[in-house]
Amino acid sequence: MSLLRSIRLSDRFRRWALSTGAAGALVAGMLTLGTQPSQAAGSQPCDLYASGGTACVAAHSTTRALYSAYNGRLYQVRRASDNTTKDIGVLSAGGYANAATQDSFCAGTSCVITVIYDQSGRGNNLTQAPPGGFNGPAAGGYDNLADATAAPVTIAGHKAYGVLVAPGTGYRDNHTSGIATGDQAEGMYAILDGTHYNGGCCFDYGNAETSGLDTGNGHMEAIYFGNNKVWGSGAGNGPWVMADLENGLFSGANPHLNTNDPTVNNRFLTAIVKGEPGRWAIRGGNAQSGGLSTYYNGARPSVAGYNPMSKEGAIILGIGGDNSNGAAGTFYEGVMTSGYPSDATENAVQANITSVGYGSGVSGLAPGSRISLRATTACCTNDYLRHDDADTNVVISAVSSSSSATDKADATWVVRAGLANSACVSFESANDTGQYLRHSAFQMHLDASDGSATFAQDATFCPQPGNNGQGVAFPSVNYPERYLRHYNFTAYIAGNGGSNAWDNANAWADDTSWLVATPWA
């Protein structure tokens, strides 16, 4: 709470002094860091919204500046080793995140994202969500904070990190400035990982209750992404971009199925929701190429309480308005506007988004390639991940040029597109075709796929930069807080601390970091 209060106090002057739009962001950057602008306002998303008469009143991103003149803080991280914090800014005004600052600060330990700063100048910063209608798993009923390195990407060729929301993770601001209330018009977009989702409630970004409680129909207006079918759905099996309007996930006027809202799963997804008196819309598209499609544009839902709306003006990320925190997803950037943006303005924003070139953040793991994985812990730098011929267990052991052909083949893996998430990876044995590296009861095994969704998830890992600054780390797709680790020469998925022996925090960063090596076979 002391961090939140200090942020509020530091923002009082800006809330009094600053107007919205690019000029506000420019001054905010100078007040925050004492820097001078290096370029004039131009064509970043919030510049475009301002030009369209619907200025940003909140602008959040861990990957880049959303105004051409912004030269301030993007987000803050806290490291586990000493609980100190560090603000992560941009490389230049209007530019991309300075990921090297984070990498240096977090080297040899783990970090979480504590604050996602508002670039609009209004101080609408997102911090750890407090308890509401539901408690979170952290101390005091708060939600967890996101692992700062769990969602690596590139943007315009620059390394950056997104916000990976695992179930139990959430951010919120209940005391905002300029966010729509009542039936006021607003718009919002978010760039999300279209392959990372679940059916939990609710992976949202947008307008919510200021109390953290469900206060009734129409008290929210937020982007939802996932495949939850409890309240409503679109075509196919999902996931869908829908609107969380409280007590309902809506894909159109009908409170149930709306087949015009398609299943979408682009690796990088643009999701848009906007609303004004009597009307609202859903739009979406591929954030890497192409334009936007309109999935719905029309009357408010045909259920009491949604026309007029009763929006309250808090901002949430990764959770529902009542702090429902069972969802999963990944967020890279998003804004909220004052007023109902035109399609033309949103089309211009989409053109800007596709121009910056979002891409995957880890190289060297192309599907179809053969690799070996070498340990980086000081004890074991000649040891490689391999399956044990005597049973199904996976271990590490020394492999060299003088090793047997069998040992070399056992330590060689074929990279496959992730069985449960094509943006991630699975590892097939090079000498046991059809058998994959998978976890069961947290221990790693080599097993043949049974075609089930559970096996696919157990055999899928989402690469990110190594936790000790070397190589690559592999969090599990279905347990993203647990990483592929060797412990006492046996392989597990392990958390950084916990009740199991293999969760021991000692040497965790080293044991969970692997070098992608030339294949032995």
Side-chain angles (χ1 to χ4, degrees), residues 145-488:
L145 295 166
D147 183 331
T149 60
V153 292
T154 57
I155 180 168
H158 299 277
K159 182 180 180 181
Y161 296 98
V163 183
L164 189 143
V165 173
T169 301
Y171 294 82
R172 195 178 196 114
D173 186 346
N174 285 332
H175 305 282
T176 61
S177 169
I179 305 301
T181 58
D183 207 27
Q184 291 176 337
E186 67 177 348
M188 62 198 78
Y189 86 82
I191 305 303
L192 310 172
D193 180 345
T195 67
H196 182 211
Y197 61 90
N198 69 2
C201 183
C202 290
F203 184 68
D204 292 349
Y205 172 71
N207 195 322
E209 295 96 336
T210 57
S211 63
L213 302 174
D214 178 350
T215 51
N217 294 3
H219 284 245
M220 290 180 62
E221 188 167 66
I223 295 166
Y224 165 80
F225 181 67
N227 65 344
N228 187 300
K229 299 180 181 179
V230 173
W231 295 280
S233 63
N237 293 320
W240 307 279
V241 178
M242 296 193 285
D244 190 342
L245 306 179
E246 191 53 277
N247 296 320
L249 298 176
F250 292 93
S251 53
N254 187 320
H256 303 295
L257 173 66
N258 294 279
T259 57
N260 287 333
D261 192 25
T263 290
V264 287
N265 55 7
N266 305 106
R267 172 60 180 87
F268 296 97
L269 171 70
T270 305
I272 291 175
V273 167
K274 56 184 175 180
E276 63 179 353
R279 181 169 69 129
W280 69 290
I282 306 174
R283 307 186 76 202
N286 186 341
Q288 292 180 298
S289 64
L292 296 171
S293 298
T294 299
Y295 304 148
Y296 177 77
N297 183 353
R300 289 291 186 177
S302 55
V303 180
Y306 299 104
N307 190 19
M309 295 286 285
S310 302
K311 293 173 276 193
E312 297 188 26
I315 306 173
I316 54 174
L317 172 61
I319 52 176
D322 59 359
N323 199 45
S324 301
N325 50 34
T330 302
F331 172 91
Y332 302 106
E333 63 179 74
V335 311
M336 299 176 68
T337 71
S338 175
Y340 190 89
S342 67
D343 286 0
T345 295
E346 291 167 344
N347 293 343
V349 170
Q350 169 70 356
N352 169 266
I353 292 166
T354 59
S355 74
V356 299
Y358 270 103
S360 179
V362 177
S363 61
L365 292 167
S369 61
R370 297 166 74 92
I371 63 164
S372 293
L373 292 172
R374 181 166 68 84
T376 64
T377 312
C379 66
C380 312
T381 55
N382 292 318
D383 289 356
Y384 291 80
L385 188 73
R386 57 166 293 179
H387 60 90
D388 188 341
D389 289 327
D391 48 41
T392 68
N393 293 339
V394 175
V395 298
I396 61 167
S397 70
V399 181
S400 68
S401 58
S402 60
S403 296
S404 70
T406 297
D407 286 346
K408 290 178 180 178
D410 289 348
T412 301
W413 305 92
V414 181
V415 180
R416 302 299 185 194
L419 299 180
N421 181 338
S422 62
C424 302
V425 296
S426 295
F427 297 105
E428 184 180 10
S429 169
N431 59 345
D432 284 302
T433 302
Q435 299 204 44
Y436 290 84
L437 182 71
R438 61 84 60 99
H439 63 82
S440 177
F442 304 118
Q443 186 172 344
M444 301 307 303
H445 298 275
L446 186 73
D447 286 330
S449 174
D450 61 8
S452 69
T454 297
F455 184 96
Q457 292 178 340
D458 292 349
T460 301
F461 305 87
C462 296
Q464 65 179 58
N467 290 316
N468 66 356
Q470 301 180 63
V472 186
F474 297 99
S476 166
V477 74
N478 53 348
Y479 292 94
E481 75 284 359
R482 292 181 170 272
Y483 291 70
L484 177 62
R485 179 188 191 175
H486 63 87
Y487 183 79
N488 285 344

